[in-house]
Each structure stands twice: as C-alpha cells, then as structure tokens.
Amino acid sequence: MAASTANADNADRADTPQVTRTQVGIVGGGPAGLLLSHLLAKQGIENVVIELRDHETIKNTHRAGILEQQAVKMLTESGVDGRVLTHGDEHEGIDLRFNGESHPLNFPDLVDATVTLYAQNEVFIDLAAARKRDGGDIRYESEVIEVADLKSDTPKIRYKDVSAGADPDAVHEVHCDILVGADGSRSFCRRAVGQEQGHQDFKIEYPFAWFGILTEAPKSSPELIYANSPHGFALISQRSANVQRMYFQCDPAEKTEDWSDDRIWSELQKRVDGPDGFQLKTGPIFDKTVLGFRSFVREPMSHGNMFLAGDAAHTVPPTGAKGLNLAFADIKVLFEALDSFYATGSRELLDDYSETALKRVWKAQNFSYWMTSMLHTRKDAHPFETKRALGELETVTSSRYGQQYLAESYTGWPHA
Ligand SMILES: Cc1cc2nc3c(=O)[nH]c(=O)nc-3n(C[C@H](O)[C@H](O)[C@H](O)COP(=O)(O)OP(=O)(O)OC[C@H]3O[C@@H](n4cnc5c(N)ncnc54)[C@H](O)[C@@H]3O)c2cc1C
C-alpha cells in the first residue's frame, strides 16, 4: 500500500507543508528503522522512513560487526537477503586473553550457538536493497526538525529535504497513527520528550574510549581475541580474509592524527604479548576512529503514540557486541505489537512494548558493563582492582558455568 501525499491546502504556496499520510512514520533509516519498515511492509502495513543521511554515506560508515544467531534469522527468515549466510563469517567462539595466555571459549559446545561476523554497513546494504526492491518509501537526506502531537491519534513528523538543490525553507510533514523514533543515540525524538513528562534517563560515562582501526592484513587469529593487559584492553577481530578490525583502549581525548601506523601496531602488540610469542599480522591501516562510550537507558521507551527503538532508547559500550543486536530485538517486540494492533485493533502489546523490551535491555546493559569492567584497566585503578579483575577472568575461564554464562549472553538470549 503506498502512502498518500498531498499539499495540505494549496499546491502553489511554498510555506504550505507537503503532507504524507501513512500508518507508521519512522524517524531514522539505520538497522532498527529499516528492519521495522521491511517487516511492516510484508504485513501490508504502510510506512514511511525519514533518514538524515544519504545512502552512500551510511553504506560507507563502519560500526558494529557481530550478529547474534537470532539477528541473522531475522534477516534471512523475513526475506531481506541470504547474503549474511554466504558472505558472513560464522564464529564458534572467542579467546579471552590475560596474563599473556589465551583461553578459548567454544560456543557450540557451551550453549549450542554461534555468532556471525557481518559488518553493519552490509546489513544496511541488504535492508536498503530489500526496501527498494519492495517499493518502500525511504526518504534519504531528510532531516526531522519536529515531532508533534505525540499523545494524539495523529502524531506528526516535520522534516526538511537537505539534499543539494532542495528548498531549505520548505517543510514537509508525515501524519501517522504511530511514530517510531529509531534515530540513533542522539535521538531527536527522545529529546522531544523530557523528565517533566515522567521520563527518566539512566546513564554512566566511562573514563576510556576505543581506538579502532581497519587494516588490510591477513587474520591474526581464527577467533576474536578479547585481551586484558597491564597496558589496557585490546580487541582483535576480523572482517574478512584480507580486512581486519582491531581496537585498543585509549583516552577519550586521543586524536587519530597523533597515531602513525607503526605506533598503533606497537600499542596493539604490547597488549597481546605473552610467553606463547603471539604476533599480530600487520598491514596498511585505512581507517582510524576514536569511539567514546557510555551506558544509557531511557525509561519508558514510549510516549503516547511515539515508540523509541534501538540506540534512540539505549546505548551500550561495544565490549559485549550488543548494540545492533539489541536494536533488532526491540524491533521484534515492536513489530509484533504493531502487527497485532493493525490486525485486531488491540493496544495491549503496544502498551506492554516498553516493559517487554526493557527486560532484555537491562540484561544487555549488565553484560556489556560486566565485560567492560572485567577487561579494561582504569588509569587510576588501585592495584587491588587490577588483581581482582584478573581473579574474575580466572573464575570465568576455569569454570564451565562461568564460560556458559558468558557464552549465553554473548550469543544472545532467546527473543521475547
Ligand atoms: C563508531 C561506532 C562503532 C560501533 N561499534 C559497535 C560494535 O562493534 N558492536 C556493536 O554491537 N555496536 C556498535 N556500535 C553501535 C551500533 O552501531 C548501534 O547499536 C546500531 O547502529 C543501532 O542501530 P539504530 O538503527 O538504532 O541506530 P543508528 O544506526 O544510529 O541509526 C539511526 C539513524 O537515524 C538517523 N537520524 C538521526 N537523527 C535524525 C534526524 N533528526 N532526522 C532523520 N534521521 C536522523 C541517522 O542518520 C541514522 O542513520 C557502534 C556505534 C558507533 C557509532
């Protein structure tokens, strides 16, 4: 079903907003917004996605890379594309490395599950292609500047077309039954509703960040290595046979231009050194970023007829690889609630959305916080704390129950 578009009053007046009427208006065309749009369209529920950036920019933005088994299923079983199975790299475990020794965890043996390395920009490419193939209404280069009437039966999205050559003063509107804010961690939709309206934000900052690189090099290890070292944390992960993704803990104020390739490789190597002589495989570095992180949750994840999903409602530090997976898990709950609403007219599942989604959100917050504190070293940490974290790593790796706890959380709990 196509959304209908009309000028509200008079087609000749530039100050008259161009209005589109649809069932679900979605702000943000990241993984959360596009997946929801795809699932709704399959059920015949019309929707429009308003996305600030252009297709090319999102396609070339490197972010998450680890998909839980259930996120993979959501892509393949909903007919997005099977590319995640042919181009993704299934991983059976991780190595926890501390005191210079690796401790492998085998997920199929521990919890009968795996994860798949498939970059977020590939997920975007597949979702965007599926929406295009199915005639989806995705408005790129469109900046939402207002969301209004959120408690009414017709919430409204106001946006400007920010593409080259567009009239910068023209305001467009989407009128919908349900408005979904899937507009990422700086969410405009979330900020439109404040604490005075009964909402609460829970957040903590961390005194460190990740320095991330993409390098053209062979794999250093078949599985991801999460390393705790006296010099700080490092993550050695893979993207493909020839491209690797690695991170090391750094000061949030660190500048990428201060880091030559040689300096980066020497820092990374220090953090994985050990008596086993483990050596990283190096190559030219073609992408460097400093990624600050925090833990954040907005409660409740809804306000009237506006529902928040993905990073708009919560962010996690990347240590547990939960950000993208949590966005997909929200969408599963929200899609089922919307499907039920349009099939039966009942708001029951919509009213339960926030409470249902938040159960998983807090489990993921706990896991991400736990992994972060166990693996990172604070600059001002008391030696007791450093030794305690090593004791925790020893506890986890030396016990099958400890390994299973980590493996179950990392590969993902069953969807609600
Ligand atoms: C640099 C970086 C590295 C990361 N690495 C990892 C990782 O290794 N593992 C992991 O699990 N997670 C990682 N994450 C987190 C992960 O990328 C997010 O959890 C995931 O993108 C959430 O998807 P989303 O759709 O909710 O939000 P987003 O992907 O942020 O999508 C939101 C979309 O909304 C659009 N938007 C914002 N404001 C407006 C507006 N006013 N009008 C219209 N559109 C708007 C944005 O352009 C964006 O495309 C990383 C994040 C960053 C920033």
mmCIF file of all heavy atoms in Angstrom, residues 27-33 50-53 58 62-65 120 142-144 182-185 188 245 247 291 309-312 318 321-325 327, ligand 1:
data_model
loop_
_atom_site.group_PDB
_atom_site.id
_atom_site.type_symbol
_atom_site.label_atom_id
_atom_site.label_comp_id
_atom_site.label_asym_id
_atom_site.label_seq_id
_atom_site.Cartn_x
_atom_site.Cartn_y
_atom_site.Cartn_z
ATOM 1 N N VAL A 27 11.313 7.559 12.129
ATOM 2 C CA VAL A 27 12.422 8.523 12.046
ATOM 3 C C VAL A 27 13.721 7.734 12.192
ATOM 4 O O VAL A 27 13.967 7.111 13.223
ATOM 5 C CB VAL A 27 12.331 9.591 13.155
ATOM 6 C CG1 VAL A 27 13.453 10.609 12.988
ATOM 7 C CG2 VAL A 27 10.974 10.284 13.124
ATOM 8 N N GLY A 28 14.568 7.745 11.141
ATOM 9 C CA GLY A 28 15.848 7.039 11.201
ATOM 10 C C GLY A 28 15.848 5.800 10.324
ATOM 11 O O GLY A 28 15.018 4.913 10.492
ATOM 12 N N GLY A 29 16.792 5.776 9.398
ATOM 13 C CA GLY A 29 16.917 4.628 8.483
ATOM 14 C C GLY A 29 18.175 3.824 8.769
ATOM 15 O O GLY A 29 18.863 3.382 7.858
ATOM 16 N N GLY A 30 18.484 3.650 10.063
ATOM 17 C CA GLY A 30 19.559 2.728 10.463
ATOM 18 C C GLY A 30 19.001 1.317 10.476
ATOM 19 O O GLY A 30 17.898 1.075 9.975
ATOM 20 N N PRO A 31 19.727 0.368 11.065
ATOM 21 C CA PRO A 31 19.246 -1.016 11.083
ATOM 22 C C PRO A 31 17.866 -1.148 11.733
ATOM 23 O O PRO A 31 17.021 -1.892 11.225
ATOM 24 C CB PRO A 31 20.297 -1.753 11.910
ATOM 25 C CG PRO A 31 21.476 -0.874 11.995
ATOM 26 C CD PRO A 31 21.061 0.527 11.679
ATOM 27 N N ALA A 32 17.610 -0.409 12.829
ATOM 28 C CA ALA A 32 16.316 -0.547 13.512
ATOM 29 C C ALA A 32 15.185 -0.048 12.606
ATOM 30 O O ALA A 32 14.198 -0.753 12.374
ATOM 31 C CB ALA A 32 16.329 0.235 14.828
ATOM 32 N N GLY A 33 15.330 1.165 12.072
ATOM 33 C CA GLY A 33 14.261 1.757 11.258
ATOM 34 C C GLY A 33 13.990 0.968 9.988
ATOM 35 O O GLY A 33 12.829 0.724 9.631
ATOM 36 N N ILE A 50 12.071 8.408 7.390
ATOM 37 C CA ILE A 50 12.746 9.692 7.151
ATOM 38 C C ILE A 50 14.174 9.561 7.664
ATOM 39 O O ILE A 50 14.392 9.328 8.862
ATOM 40 C CB ILE A 50 12.041 10.847 7.914
ATOM 41 C CG1 ILE A 50 10.535 10.844 7.648
ATOM 42 C CG2 ILE A 50 12.669 12.194 7.564
ATOM 43 C CD1 ILE A 50 10.152 11.104 6.222
ATOM 44 N N GLU A 51 15.158 9.698 6.807
ATOM 45 C CA GLU A 51 16.563 9.475 7.172
ATOM 46 C C GLU A 51 17.418 10.679 6.777
ATOM 47 O O GLU A 51 17.394 11.128 5.631
ATOM 48 C CB GLU A 51 17.068 8.187 6.494
ATOM 49 C CG GLU A 51 18.573 7.987 6.491
ATOM 50 C CD GLU A 51 19.242 8.021 7.884
ATOM 51 O OE1 GLU A 51 18.765 7.371 8.804
ATOM 52 O OE2 GLU A 51 20.250 8.753 8.014
ATOM 53 N N LEU A 52 18.198 11.134 7.731
ATOM 54 C CA LEU A 52 19.022 12.333 7.546
ATOM 55 C C LEU A 52 20.124 12.171 6.487
ATOM 56 O O LEU A 52 20.350 13.040 5.662
ATOM 57 C CB LEU A 52 19.654 12.677 8.902
ATOM 58 C CG LEU A 52 20.662 13.797 8.954
ATOM 59 C CD1 LEU A 52 20.049 15.114 8.522
ATOM 60 C CD2 LEU A 52 21.227 13.932 10.374
ATOM 61 N N ARG A 53 20.804 11.028 6.535
ATOM 62 C CA ARG A 53 21.997 10.889 5.686
ATOM 63 C C ARG A 53 21.636 10.324 4.314
ATOM 64 O O ARG A 53 20.543 9.812 4.104
ATOM 65 C CB ARG A 53 23.017 9.987 6.378
ATOM 66 C CG ARG A 53 23.527 10.607 7.678
ATOM 67 C CD ARG A 53 24.518 9.705 8.375
ATOM 68 N NE ARG A 53 23.906 8.489 8.875
ATOM 69 C CZ ARG A 53 24.583 7.416 9.279
ATOM 70 N NH1 ARG A 53 25.898 7.405 9.212
ATOM 71 N NH2 ARG A 53 23.953 6.342 9.737
ATOM 72 N N ILE A 58 25.825 6.226 4.549
ATOM 73 C CA ILE A 58 25.515 5.144 5.518
ATOM 74 C C ILE A 58 26.227 3.862 5.078
ATOM 75 O O ILE A 58 26.791 3.139 5.898
ATOM 76 C CB ILE A 58 24.000 4.888 5.635
ATOM 77 C CG1 ILE A 58 23.234 6.194 5.836
ATOM 78 C CG2 ILE A 58 23.716 3.924 6.780
ATOM 79 C CD1 ILE A 58 21.726 6.027 5.957
ATOM 80 N N HIS A 62 31.462 2.562 9.056
ATOM 81 C CA HIS A 62 31.821 1.289 9.708
ATOM 82 C C HIS A 62 31.461 1.338 11.172
ATOM 83 O O HIS A 62 31.929 2.207 11.893
ATOM 84 C CB HIS A 62 33.313 1.004 9.542
ATOM 85 C CG HIS A 62 33.701 0.868 8.115
ATOM 86 N ND1 HIS A 62 33.494 -0.284 7.407
ATOM 87 C CD2 HIS A 62 34.221 1.772 7.249
ATOM 88 C CE1 HIS A 62 33.893 -0.102 6.157
ATOM 89 N NE2 HIS A 62 34.332 1.139 6.034
ATOM 90 N N ARG A 63 30.657 0.409 11.611
ATOM 91 C CA ARG A 63 30.262 0.357 13.025
ATOM 92 C C ARG A 63 30.309 -1.088 13.507
ATOM 93 O O ARG A 63 31.352 -1.699 13.467
ATOM 94 C CB ARG A 63 28.875 0.949 13.193
ATOM 95 C CG ARG A 63 28.844 2.459 13.083
ATOM 96 C CD ARG A 63 27.488 2.942 13.464
ATOM 97 N NE ARG A 63 27.394 4.372 13.589
ATOM 98 C CZ ARG A 63 26.291 4.971 13.998
ATOM 99 N NH1 ARG A 63 25.231 4.273 14.313
ATOM 100 N NH2 ARG A 63 26.248 6.282 14.088
ATOM 101 N N ALA A 64 29.151 -1.608 13.920
ATOM 102 C CA ALA A 64 29.117 -2.931 14.537
ATOM 103 C C ALA A 64 29.433 -4.038 13.533
ATOM 104 O O ALA A 64 29.378 -3.821 12.320
ATOM 105 C CB ALA A 64 27.738 -3.157 15.141
ATOM 106 N N GLY A 65 29.713 -5.222 14.054
ATOM 107 C CA GLY A 65 30.040 -6.313 13.138
ATOM 108 C C GLY A 65 29.626 -7.694 13.590
ATOM 109 O O GLY A 65 29.752 -8.645 12.828
ATOM 110 N N GLN A 120 28.011 -3.956 9.872
ATOM 111 C CA GLN A 120 26.750 -3.205 9.910
ATOM 112 C C GLN A 120 26.446 -2.546 8.570
ATOM 113 O O GLN A 120 25.286 -2.436 8.178
ATOM 114 C CB GLN A 120 26.819 -2.145 11.017
ATOM 115 C CG GLN A 120 25.548 -1.335 11.133
ATOM 116 C CD GLN A 120 25.473 -0.530 12.419
ATOM 117 O OE1 GLN A 120 26.099 -0.884 13.414
ATOM 118 N NE2 GLN A 120 24.708 0.536 12.410
ATOM 119 N N SER A 142 16.855 13.707 4.545
ATOM 120 C CA SER A 142 15.684 14.407 5.070
ATOM 121 C C SER A 142 15.857 14.533 6.573
ATOM 122 O O SER A 142 15.938 13.521 7.279
ATOM 123 C CB SER A 142 14.407 13.616 4.765
ATOM 124 O OG SER A 142 14.242 13.526 3.362
ATOM 125 N N GLU A 143 15.943 15.763 7.055
ATOM 126 C CA GLU A 143 16.219 15.969 8.474
ATOM 127 C C GLU A 143 14.951 16.287 9.261
ATOM 128 O O GLU A 143 14.275 17.284 8.973
ATOM 129 C CB GLU A 143 17.222 17.123 8.648
ATOM 130 C CG GLU A 143 17.519 17.336 10.119
ATOM 131 C CD GLU A 143 18.589 18.382 10.363
ATOM 132 O OE1 GLU A 143 18.910 19.140 9.423
ATOM 133 O OE2 GLU A 143 19.092 18.431 11.492
ATOM 134 N N VAL A 144 14.658 15.455 10.245
ATOM 135 C CA VAL A 144 13.488 15.708 11.084
ATOM 136 C C VAL A 144 13.786 16.890 11.994
ATOM 137 O O VAL A 144 14.818 16.930 12.672
ATOM 138 C CB VAL A 144 13.114 14.443 11.891
ATOM 139 C CG1 VAL A 144 12.036 14.748 12.921
ATOM 140 C CG2 VAL A 144 12.649 13.345 10.941
ATOM 141 N N ALA A 182 13.627 5.875 15.697
ATOM 142 C CA ALA A 182 14.748 4.928 15.567
ATOM 143 C C ALA A 182 15.942 5.733 15.055
ATOM 144 O O ALA A 182 16.639 5.325 14.131
ATOM 145 C CB ALA A 182 14.365 3.804 14.601
ATOM 146 N N ASP A 183 16.139 6.902 15.686
ATOM 147 C CA ASP A 183 17.097 7.856 15.134
ATOM 148 C C ASP A 183 18.397 7.940 15.938
ATOM 149 O O ASP A 183 19.007 9.007 16.039
ATOM 150 C CB ASP A 183 16.441 9.249 14.994
ATOM 151 C CG ASP A 183 15.723 9.719 16.247
ATOM 152 O OD1 ASP A 183 15.475 8.888 17.127
ATOM 153 O OD2 ASP A 183 15.414 10.916 16.343
ATOM 154 N N GLY A 184 18.821 6.791 16.464
ATOM 155 C CA GLY A 184 20.176 6.693 16.986
ATOM 156 C C GLY A 184 20.411 7.358 18.325
ATOM 157 O O GLY A 184 19.506 7.934 18.938
ATOM 158 N N SER A 185 21.667 7.296 18.775
ATOM 159 C CA SER A 185 21.982 7.657 20.161
ATOM 160 C C SER A 185 21.728 9.129 20.487
ATOM 161 O O SER A 185 21.513 9.475 21.635
ATOM 162 C CB SER A 185 23.424 7.292 20.479
ATOM 163 O OG SER A 185 24.286 7.943 19.581
ATOM 164 N N PHE A 188 16.644 12.720 18.188
ATOM 165 C CA PHE A 188 15.816 13.930 18.214
ATOM 166 C C PHE A 188 14.475 13.594 18.877
ATOM 167 O O PHE A 188 13.954 14.371 19.687
ATOM 168 C CB PHE A 188 15.608 14.413 16.767
ATOM 169 C CG PHE A 188 14.788 15.657 16.684
ATOM 170 C CD1 PHE A 188 15.390 16.905 16.712
ATOM 171 C CD2 PHE A 188 13.408 15.585 16.588
ATOM 172 C CE1 PHE A 188 14.624 18.059 16.657
ATOM 173 C CE2 PHE A 188 12.636 16.730 16.536
ATOM 174 C CZ PHE A 188 13.250 17.975 16.569
ATOM 175 N N ARG A 245 39.538 -5.806 11.774
ATOM 176 C CA ARG A 245 39.094 -4.721 12.631
ATOM 177 C C ARG A 245 39.748 -4.920 13.998
ATOM 178 O O ARG A 245 39.649 -6.017 14.570
ATOM 179 C CB ARG A 245 37.568 -4.820 12.775
ATOM 180 C CG ARG A 245 36.924 -3.698 13.552
ATOM 181 C CD ARG A 245 36.825 -2.489 12.728
ATOM 182 N NE ARG A 245 35.760 -1.583 13.105
ATOM 183 C CZ ARG A 245 35.908 -0.262 13.061
ATOM 184 N NH1 ARG A 245 37.068 0.277 12.714
ATOM 185 N NH2 ARG A 245 34.904 0.528 13.329
ATOM 186 N N TYR A 247 40.837 -2.923 17.939
ATOM 187 C CA TYR A 247 40.623 -1.787 18.835
ATOM 188 C C TYR A 247 41.593 -1.882 20.002
ATOM 189 O O TYR A 247 41.952 -2.991 20.425
ATOM 190 C CB TYR A 247 39.222 -1.826 19.446
ATOM 191 C CG TYR A 247 38.058 -1.782 18.492
ATOM 192 C CD1 TYR A 247 37.487 -2.958 18.003
ATOM 193 C CD2 TYR A 247 37.488 -0.568 18.118
ATOM 194 C CE1 TYR A 247 36.383 -2.919 17.161
ATOM 195 C CE2 TYR A 247 36.378 -0.524 17.278
ATOM 196 C CZ TYR A 247 35.841 -1.704 16.799
ATOM 197 O OH TYR A 247 34.743 -1.672 15.976
ATOM 198 N N LEU A 291 36.340 5.924 19.511
ATOM 199 C CA LEU A 291 34.939 5.661 19.821
ATOM 200 C C LEU A 291 34.719 5.789 21.331
ATOM 201 O O LEU A 291 35.146 4.929 22.093
ATOM 202 C CB LEU A 291 34.621 4.246 19.321
ATOM 203 C CG LEU A 291 33.345 3.561 19.740
ATOM 204 C CD1 LEU A 291 32.142 4.325 19.234
ATOM 205 C CD2 LEU A 291 33.315 2.137 19.183
ATOM 206 N N ALA A 309 13.132 2.974 19.602
ATOM 207 C CA ALA A 309 13.740 1.653 19.390
ATOM 208 C C ALA A 309 15.222 1.818 19.078
ATOM 209 O O ALA A 309 15.648 2.815 18.498
ATOM 210 C CB ALA A 309 13.043 0.930 18.234
ATOM 211 N N GLY A 310 16.016 0.819 19.458
ATOM 212 C CA GLY A 310 17.458 0.823 19.158
ATOM 213 C C GLY A 310 18.197 1.868 19.968
ATOM 214 O O GLY A 310 17.792 2.220 21.090
ATOM 215 N N ASP A 311 19.269 2.415 19.378
ATOM 216 C CA ASP A 311 20.123 3.371 20.097
ATOM 217 C C ASP A 311 19.365 4.618 20.550
ATOM 218 O O ASP A 311 19.818 5.326 21.441
ATOM 219 C CB ASP A 311 21.288 3.815 19.192
ATOM 220 C CG ASP A 311 22.457 2.845 19.260
ATOM 221 O OD1 ASP A 311 22.248 1.702 19.703
ATOM 222 O OD2 ASP A 311 23.580 3.224 18.871
ATOM 223 N N ALA A 312 18.240 4.910 19.960
ATOM 224 C CA ALA A 312 17.453 6.067 20.398
ATOM 225 C C ALA A 312 17.009 5.887 21.849
ATOM 226 O O ALA A 312 16.861 6.852 22.587
ATOM 227 C CB ALA A 312 16.225 6.239 19.499
ATOM 228 N N PRO A 318 30.590 -1.008 23.512
ATOM 229 C CA PRO A 318 30.632 -2.046 22.477
ATOM 230 C C PRO A 318 31.256 -3.375 22.912
ATOM 231 O O PRO A 318 31.223 -4.340 22.156
ATOM 232 C CB PRO A 318 31.485 -1.405 21.370
ATOM 233 C CG PRO A 318 32.280 -0.346 22.053
ATOM 234 C CD PRO A 318 31.482 0.113 23.229
ATOM 235 N N ALA A 321 29.279 -6.434 22.260
ATOM 236 C CA ALA A 321 28.733 -6.534 20.887
ATOM 237 C C ALA A 321 27.210 -6.599 20.889
ATOM 238 O O ALA A 321 26.602 -7.384 20.176
ATOM 239 C CB ALA A 321 29.323 -7.741 20.161
ATOM 240 N N LYS A 322 26.592 -5.773 21.707
ATOM 241 C CA LYS A 322 25.135 -5.883 21.871
ATOM 242 C C LYS A 322 24.330 -4.794 21.145
ATOM 243 O O LYS A 322 23.123 -4.953 20.959
ATOM 244 C CB LYS A 322 24.778 -5.827 23.368
ATOM 245 C CG LYS A 322 25.078 -7.119 24.104
ATOM 246 C CD LYS A 322 24.010 -8.157 23.833
ATOM 247 C CE LYS A 322 24.446 -9.563 24.170
ATOM 248 N NZ LYS A 322 25.029 -10.316 23.058
ATOM 249 N N GLY A 323 24.951 -3.656 20.746
ATOM 250 C CA GLY A 323 24.194 -2.505 20.239
ATOM 251 C C GLY A 323 23.233 -2.840 19.106
ATOM 252 O O GLY A 323 22.013 -2.634 19.209
ATOM 253 N N LEU A 324 23.767 -3.370 18.032
ATOM 254 C CA LEU A 324 22.949 -3.678 16.863
ATOM 255 C C LEU A 324 21.954 -4.800 17.176
ATOM 256 O O LEU A 324 20.791 -4.763 16.750
ATOM 257 C CB LEU A 324 23.897 -4.072 15.717
ATOM 258 C CG LEU A 324 23.306 -4.507 14.409
ATOM 259 C CD1 LEU A 324 22.404 -3.437 13.838
ATOM 260 C CD2 LEU A 324 24.432 -4.812 13.423
ATOM 261 N N ASN A 325 22.406 -5.783 17.934
ATOM 262 C CA ASN A 325 21.544 -6.919 18.263
ATOM 263 C C ASN A 325 20.351 -6.493 19.127
ATOM 264 O O ASN A 325 19.240 -6.984 18.958
ATOM 265 C CB ASN A 325 22.377 -7.990 18.988
ATOM 266 C CG ASN A 325 23.413 -8.583 18.062
ATOM 267 O OD1 ASN A 325 23.066 -9.177 17.038
ATOM 268 N ND2 ASN A 325 24.676 -8.405 18.377
ATOM 269 N N ALA A 327 19.042 -3.517 19.068
ATOM 270 C CA ALA A 327 18.144 -2.755 18.184
ATOM 271 C C ALA A 327 17.205 -3.737 17.464
ATOM 272 O O ALA A 327 15.994 -3.501 17.375
ATOM 273 C CB ALA A 327 18.966 -1.950 17.173
HETATM 274 C C1 LIG B 1 31.610 4.253 15.680
HETATM 275 C C2 LIG B 1 30.670 3.210 16.220
HETATM 276 C C3 LIG B 1 31.102 1.878 16.366
HETATM 277 C C4 LIG B 1 30.229 0.916 16.870
HETATM 278 N N1 LIG B 1 30.677 -0.374 17.013
HETATM 279 C C5 LIG B 1 29.833 -1.305 17.505
HETATM 280 C C6 LIG B 1 30.241 -2.658 17.667
HETATM 281 O O1 LIG B 1 31.384 -3.005 17.386
HETATM 282 N N2 LIG B 1 29.331 -3.558 18.124
HETATM 283 C C7 LIG B 1 28.023 -3.199 18.423
HETATM 284 O O2 LIG B 1 27.205 -4.037 18.789
HETATM 285 N N3 LIG B 1 27.617 -1.931 18.283
HETATM 286 C C8 LIG B 1 28.475 -0.997 17.834
HETATM 287 N N4 LIG B 1 28.037 0.266 17.681
HETATM 288 C C9 LIG B 1 26.636 0.518 17.970
HETATM 289 C C10 LIG B 1 25.746 0.133 16.779
HETATM 290 O O3 LIG B 1 26.302 0.655 15.610
HETATM 291 C C11 LIG B 1 24.354 0.661 17.072
HETATM 292 O O4 LIG B 1 23.864 -0.002 18.218
HETATM 293 C C12 LIG B 1 23.361 0.490 15.918
HETATM 294 O O5 LIG B 1 23.734 1.289 14.829
HETATM 295 C C13 LIG B 1 21.949 0.861 16.378
HETATM 296 O O6 LIG B 1 21.093 0.956 15.273
HETATM 297 P P1 LIG B 1 19.939 2.043 15.225
HETATM 298 O O7 LIG B 1 19.209 1.793 13.960
HETATM 299 O O8 LIG B 1 19.212 2.038 16.497
HETATM 300 O O9 LIG B 1 20.682 3.457 15.187
HETATM 301 P P2 LIG B 1 21.619 4.101 14.063
HETATM 302 O O10 LIG B 1 22.359 3.047 13.328
HETATM 303 O O11 LIG B 1 22.413 5.158 14.733
HETATM 304 O O12 LIG B 1 20.593 4.751 13.032
HETATM 305 C C14 LIG B 1 19.899 5.937 13.341
HETATM 306 C C15 LIG B 1 19.669 6.702 12.051
HETATM 307 O O13 LIG B 1 18.883 7.858 12.349
HETATM 308 C C16 LIG B 1 19.318 8.924 11.536
HETATM 309 N N5 LIG B 1 18.952 10.194 12.174
HETATM 310 C C17 LIG B 1 19.456 10.759 13.299
HETATM 311 N N6 LIG B 1 18.886 11.937 13.544
HETATM 312 C C18 LIG B 1 17.979 12.144 12.555
HETATM 313 C C19 LIG B 1 17.075 13.193 12.248
HETATM 314 N N7 LIG B 1 16.946 14.309 13.023
HETATM 315 N N8 LIG B 1 16.304 13.084 11.146
HETATM 316 C C20 LIG B 1 16.382 11.980 10.352
HETATM 317 N N9 LIG B 1 17.229 10.953 10.606
HETATM 318 C C21 LIG B 1 18.011 11.027 11.688
HETATM 319 C C22 LIG B 1 20.832 8.713 11.470
HETATM 320 O O14 LIG B 1 21.393 9.345 10.328
HETATM 321 C C23 LIG B 1 20.959 7.207 11.427
HETATM 322 O O15 LIG B 1 21.108 6.682 10.127
HETATM 323 C C24 LIG B 1 28.906 1.262 17.211
HETATM 324 C C25 LIG B 1 28.469 2.581 17.077
HETATM 325 C C26 LIG B 1 29.346 3.568 16.605
HETATM 326 C C27 LIG B 1 28.877 4.988 16.496
#
